[in-house]
Amino acid sequence: MSALKHLYLVDGSGYIFRAFHALPPLTRSDGTPIGAVLGFSNMIHRLVQDTGADHIAIVFDAAEKTFRNRIYDKYKANRAETPPELVPQFKLVREATDAFGLARIERDDYEADDLIATYAREAAEAGADVTIVSSDKDLMQLVSPKVRMFDPIKNKPLGEAEVREKFGVGPDKVVDVQALCGDSVDNVPGVPGIGVKTAAELINAYGDLETLLVRASEIKQPKRRQSLIDFAEQARVSKKLVKLDDRVPLSLSLDELAVKPPDTPKLINFLEANGFRALLARIKTGDGGRRTEDGGQKAESNSSSVVRRPSSVVADELAGVATNYELVQDLASLDRWIAEAVEYGTVAIDAETDIFNNPRAPLTGLALALAPGRAGYIPLGHGGDLTEAPRQIPRDAALEKLKRLFEDASVLKLGHNVKFAIEALRRFGIRIAPFDDTMLISYVLEGGAHGHELAELTVLHFQHEAAKYKDLVGSGKALIGFGAVPVEKARDYAADAADMILRLHRLLKPRLRQKQLLAFYESNERPLPGVVADMETAGIRVDRAQLNALSEDFTRRLGEFEREI
């Protein structure tokens, strides 16, 4: 068994909800919902492959009620009901954890956060590095020189600097700030009228919550002073609610969290039972070994003494993100991109045709994005008036392979105005599914607050100005088709678009849940691109005789109006 050097503690509940909202509803042949289970399985499979951790544990909440409900009976009382289609998947994600051979931890009367706090303390005291995989702000109180967080939504590590940026104080004072400002999501009352910024100012000035409450009479602002005096006990109760218990009895020892090979027959049985064919194929072909950050195979016993970031994820923010845009010009490279897309479970698509905004024009190329900064362009119809066309895969051969990806139910396709790609590819017998549309997501979130074109959104959210289409193709007499644009320039333009679509999806999709708009988007907006594309493809029937009669009637009436005028 490998020595404990680096422990990964995964917030299992966070993974479940992230997977649930990342994929459209999927069901097994018997009708059981499995979308979250598939997403969860893909994520933990990649985690085992891509991290340098020698010990991993997936930590779950055991029940809705914990010791905190005895402290404050309204704790988490205003949380929305769990979506009914998610309920049967909780059991299955636990089965997935067991099937992958990973340690699973949960304990009655405690939250997953308490268990994470306990194991993080134990591992740090044993001299190991700890990475907590979660975006939960409540876990930021655990950050220390030996304990880091990794936000799987924004795909970036969180250390002391990030904690100070969010709360205005160091990790050791986070609970004091939370006790003052409360938490509407968990129904932690806090002190009325005090937000995070004010709470941080007070804690930085007085040192800690108790000192502040004892000296509340010194506060100069009358309203703030009275609120602290009146709600002092409520603040103390709030601190008990937000402070994590890091002394929970261990159900598994640290040694029992060591990464070990999965029971292959058990894992295969689980994947087959749930119909996860793509993931099953990767495991059967041996694409299941752990990988180093540069993609090479790593022996199972290898470990790391520093915080590692999975190679498949980088920060969503543009600052500091190196772009790696590739030209995909042969079938072997295309096969590699398709395999990676299936492994990631999500791929952003940008389709380019020879005429701007015309999906019926000749298809000139497709861009795929797998992670922020990681995108490729597949030229299919470049050459134009050039004497020698650039190297590119024959269109039909490329589309035959891409058809399997674009129609794979286990891979979520992302588009911006995805209807364009749907129409452009439908001519070749390809029906994109399932998909998300970042233009529609943005519209549902912000409506008329601003435009929802891709270029406008990337400036708004990322301060990123993309190359302009007209700068590539010219205008007037100098206008050329996109197929005549040099493939390197076409790559940079299209790959950047796919890259931005993926980043927008990671940023905006979680906000639908936060604003309770997810159901509206999924039921009202997401089905529309396919329906409208069908309507535009089919067109409408016109009664020529009736149309001519209307034209004659309008002409006659216009003449009468002219005479009256």
Side-chain angles (χ1 to χ4, degrees):
M1 184 175 294
S2 61
L4 173 60
K5 293 183 179 179
H6 190 172
L7 170 63
Y8 266 64
L9 294 166
V10 179
D11 177 5
S13 298
Y15 256 35
I16 296 168
F17 281 95
R18 182 185 174 207
F20 178 70
H21 296 301
L23 291 174
L26 299 172
T27 57
R28 257 180 357 202
S29 57
D30 63 359
T32 302
I34 54 168
V37 186
L38 174 59
F40 179 87
S41 299
N42 277 324
M43 284 190 285
I44 61 174
H45 174 60
R46 290 199 298 271
L47 178 71
V48 174
Q49 285 187 294
D50 294 345
T51 67
D54 43 78
H55 288 61
I56 297 176
I58 315 295
V59 189
F60 295 98
D61 290 316
E64 292 185 0
K65 301 290 185 180
T66 68
F67 71 90
R68 289 180 176 83
N69 296 99
R70 296 193 294 276
I71 296 173
Y72 184 62
D73 61 359
K74 297 179 182 177
Y75 179 66
K76 292 189 176 180
N78 59 353
R79 281 208 167 183
E81 290 292 323
T82 302
E85 63 271 30
L86 182 57
V87 173
Q89 300 188 67
F90 289 129
K91 177 177 181 291
L92 290 174
V93 295
R94 286 166 169 80
E95 290 180 10
T97 303
D98 297 341
F100 278 95
L102 298 176
R104 173 166 58 88
I105 302 172
E106 53 190 308
R107 192 179 184 93
D108 286 337
D109 209 38
Y110 294 96
E111 295 183 40
D113 289 0
D114 300 310
L115 301 173
I116 290 173
T118 300
Y119 279 94
R121 178 188 57 77
E122 291 274 348
E125 289 178 356
D129 289 300
V130 179
T131 296
I132 299 170
V133 183
S134 177
S135 57
D136 188 346
K137 66 183 184 302
D138 296 338
L139 290 164
M140 287 186 168
Q141 62 188 268
L142 304 177
V143 170
S144 72
K146 298 294 288 183
V147 180
R148 293 289 186 272
M149 290 179 65
F150 185 85
D151 185 336
I153 295 177
K154 293 186 176 180
N155 298 302
K156 71 174 186 178
L158 304 175
E160 183 176 340
E162 288 73 22
V163 175
R164 288 188 178 277
E165 181 181 355
K166 183 170 186 65
F167 286 103
V169 296
D172 60 324
K173 302 296 182 184
V174 165
V175 292
D176 292 319
V177 169
Q178 288 182 299
L180 285 171
C181 63
D183 187 340
S184 59
V185 175
D186 289 343
N187 207 33
V188 175
V191 175
I194 294 184
V196 174
K197 184 177 179 180
T198 301
E201 291 174 356
L202 291 169
I203 295 301
N204 284 324
Y206 289 90
D208 58 65
L209 178 67
E210 193 56 39
T211 301
L212 169 65
L213 296 177
V214 169
R215 298 172 57 186
S217 60
E218 301 174 13
I219 302 295
K220 294 180 179 179
Q221 297 88 345
K223 187 175 180 180
R224 185 181 300 174
R225 178 177 64 243
Q226 195 59 46
S227 191
L228 286 166
I229 293 171
D230 292 344
F231 294 95
E233 286 308 310
Q234 187 165 288
R236 293 185 177 100
V237 169
S238 296
K239 184 171 182 177
K240 292 179 181 178
L241 296 176
V242 298
K243 183 174 176 56
L244 300 181
D245 185 348
D246 65 356
R247 301 286 170 175
V248 180
L250 302 185
S251 54
L252 295 175
S253 68
L254 289 175
D255 288 342
E256 290 176 290
L257 310 186
V259 175
K260 57 183 181 296
D263 181 338
T264 303
K266 180 178 180 179
L267 177 57
I268 290 175
N269 286 339
F270 173 79
L271 297 175
E272 286 180 339
N274 289 283
F276 299 158
R277 296 186 303 275
L279 182 54
L280 177 61
R282 295 198 298 275
I283 291 171
K284 281 187 173 181
T285 56
D287 184 17
R290 303 180 66 204
R291 300 182 183 274
T292 60
E293 290 180 28
D294 61 3
Q297 292 294 317
K298 177 180 277 291
E300 181 189 309
S301 61
N302 199 13
S303 59
S304 170
S305 59
V306 297
V307 175
R308 290 177 180 260
R309 300 178 64 190
S311 61
S312 60
V313 285
V314 292
D316 265 316
E317 292 75 17
L318 287 174
V321 177
T323 56
N324 178 18
Y325 295 161
E326 179 181 329
L327 270 175
V328 183
Q329 295 173 288
D330 57 72
L331 287 173
S333 298
L334 180 59
D335 285 338
R336 172 170 51 82
W337 273 85
I338 291 173
E340 288 185 41
V342 172
E343 181 175 355
Y344 287 132
T346 304
V347 60
I349 303 170
D350 178 71
E352 295 295 338
T353 60
D354 200 42
I355 301 174
F356 179 69
N357 206 28
N358 185 344
R360 295 173 180 80
L363 182 66
T364 52
L366 293 161
L368 308 177
L370 304 179
R374 172 95 168 96
Y377 180 65
I378 310 160
L380 299 174
H382 280 265
D385 296 327
L386 302 177
T387 56
E388 184 177 348
R391 185 163 64 95
Q392 52 196 333
I393 306 169
R395 188 193 65 190
D396 291 345
L399 292 179
E400 182 181 356
K401 290 180 176 292
L402 287 165
K403 177 180 173 69
R404 293 194 291 272
L405 171 65
F406 292 157
E407 296 182 352
D408 189 338
S410 70
V411 180
L412 179 66
K413 274 67 68 174
L414 313 177
H416 194 86
N417 185 22
V418 73
K419 179 174 71 68
F420 184 91
I422 290 173
E423 292 185 84
L425 292 171
R426 180 171 294 174
R427 293 176 293 148
F428 304 100
I430 298 174
R431 300 187 71 88
I432 300 174
F435 59 80
D436 261 344
D437 191 326
T438 49
M439 184 177 74
L440 295 180
I441 292 173
S442 176
Y443 179 79
V444 170
L445 287 170
E446 300 293 343
H450 52 74
H452 302 281
E453 295 293 328
L454 182 61
E456 182 171 348
L457 293 181
T458 57
V459 171
L460 176 66
H461 294 294
F462 306 126
Q463 296 76 54
H464 172 67
E465 294 226 14
K468 292 181 172 57
Y469 188 86
K470 68 177 182 179
D471 292 340
L472 296 176
V473 301
S475 59
K477 292 183 178 180
L479 179 67
I480 60 175
F482 195 81
V485 173
V487 289
E488 291 79 9
K489 290 186 176 181
R491 171 201 61 199
D492 293 343
Y493 174 85
D496 179 74
D499 187 5
M500 293 303 110
I501 292 167
L502 184 138
R503 298 184 196 215
L504 281 172
H505 187 265
R506 293 191 175 190
L507 177 70
L508 300 180
K509 184 71 180 287
R511 294 183 183 176
L512 290 174
R513 174 69 176 177
Q514 294 166 4
K515 294 189 175 183
Q516 299 182 331
L517 291 170
L518 183 65
F520 176 82
Y521 162 71
E522 291 186 341
S523 60
N524 289 56
E525 296 293 337
R526 185 160 63 180
L528 285 180
V531 174
V532 176
D534 285 340
M535 294 169 62
E536 292 180 355
T537 300
I540 59 173
R541 291 184 180 275
V542 174
D543 186 328
R544 290 176 179 268
Q546 182 64 25
L547 191 63
N548 288 333
L550 286 172
S551 179
E552 292 173 1
D553 179 53
F554 293 158
T555 301
R556 177 183 57 77
R557 291 161 65 186
L558 282 171
E560 293 175 356
F561 291 147
E562 287 175 0
R563 285 192 295 273
E564 290 178 11
I565 293 170

